[in-house]
Amino acid sequence: MTEPLTLANSYLDLPEGCYARVGPTEVSQPQLLRINRPLAEQLGLDPEALAAPEGLAALAGNRVPEGAEPLALAYAGHQFGNFVPQLGDGRAVLLGEVTDRSGVRRDLQLKGAGRTPFSRAGDGRASLGPVIREYLVSEGIAGLGIPTTRALAMVATGDPVLRQRVEPGGVITRMAAGHVRVGTFEYFFRRGDYDTVRALADYVIERHYPALAESDQPYKDLIEAVATRTADLVADWLLVGFIHGVMNTDNIALSGETLDYGPCAFMDDYHPATVYSSIDTGGRYAYDQQPTIAHWDLARFAETLLPLLADDPDEALPIAKEALDAYEPRFSASYHAGLQRKLGLTEDRDSDPDLAMDLLGRMAAQGADFTLTFRRLSELGSEPDEADEAVRALFADPASFDAWAIAWRSRLAAEGSDDAARRDAMRAVNPAYIPRNHRVEQAITAAMDHGDLAPIDELLTVLTDPFADHPGYEHLAAPPASHEVVTQTFCGT
Ligand code: AMP
Ligand code: MG
């Protein structure tokens, strides 16, 4: 047999406390549900070999690939603002790393692979519904061009897991640029183990921010670089109506990728206070709170680097603060530039943020669908015509849209906007397809209740190419009918 997965493991070079060596636990009847062929190929892996029995055994956790040294990573984290000193990979085993076609090292992790020393009271398993959810939504985020972990494969285990009720178990193979989180730093900082904090910081610099290795203040620059990437990430989320749902510090990746697809959701109707997660009763992680929360999480990260910034804590604090101060303006610039693109504006005018906010305010008041409003806006011309009806129909009171459209069209005229070029540019940033909650739920139900995987494939067809029109798939672009609306999402993994 040629080994379908040849893996390195750079985490083994970190101090020992960073991980526990542990392999996956066998499952009884692994069944490969889906393999992500384009991703496998990007990783330089052979999808056929992965789907063959030896490959499937590895993806299910029934066989450790030859030469692999699997482990579970230690981390802590602030959950809903409260510090939990030990979390860690309680239901995930990091198999190792592959180098993709562009030369970037990528982690492969089996999530739902059995108990580890970090499992606490948990069973180390994942139920199949959330596995399918993560596969679909992370592929949706990737299709939108937003940095994210991805799904390489999903396997049904044949073993039941006990949650609210008994559910089928699953394992997802997750690919990430890296799995170090803010919570990884907190774990060692809170123990006073600053040597390991330094080792982690050096690891993150080498792996994710190599340009900083030459800096004469690498740790300060690291705070700023992570803040910058995170600001861009959160701006990306807002611009597609994504709500992460559980922005605890253990779910904030230092790589700047979207990590942890638990109770996340895309909004249908636009409202800034939208919350889907059943456990987020206070709205801490509501759509419009995400920029502030990310800043808070980054402050927890910066705190852990204080001992590396200066020997005297009084000196370290202003250095950290100065680095963190990069966050706000970066987020704001990134978000507003994104809104300008969504509106088809190519020049900068001071009044543009107000124009965008005015539209969002009207959308919120009128219950307009976030994705469709921008997509249909992309089709409009410089003068009102029949195409306007499609946008007007999304507003409870269409006159509210009309009033805004007058201002928008005069702004377009002011920069001499060319209709055809603008339409193309707008269509390239305003997706037709997002992983709508009701479609994701329907795909999960079809798979779990009837073994029907066709809805998953249908969804993936549009989610992997969301800026194109897909004739015949219009139903997947449509908002939910009133009886289809999903109002809550659950961690439930
Ligand atoms: P999450 O909600 O996915 O961010 O997980 C928070 C923490 O709970 C992490 O340390 C997980 O590893 C752990 N955890 C969640 N579910 C389980 C489970 N079924 N078994 C063991 N640990 C779990
Ligand atoms: Mg997590």
Side-chain angles (χ1 to χ4, degrees), residues 75 79 87-89 91 111 174 181 244 246 248 250-252 259-262:
Y75 56 85
Q79 299 192 311
L87 293 164
D89 288 334
R91 51 151 168 206
K111 188 168 163 187
R174 178 160 80 183
R181 312 135 188 265
H244 179 285
V246 58
N248 295 332
D250 50 303
N251 293 331
I252 304 297
L259 171 70
D260 199 310
Y261 289 84

Side-chain angles (χ1 to χ4, degrees), residues 403-433:
W404 178 83
I406 293 170
W408 176 60
R409 285 187 164 110
S410 87
R411 171 65 185 81
L412 291 175
E415 67 171 50
S417 181
D418 170 69
D419 274 2
R422 176 179 50 76
R423 280 196 188 110
D424 286 347
M426 287 178 74
R427 287 165 52 87
V429 295
N430 292 319
Y433 298 95

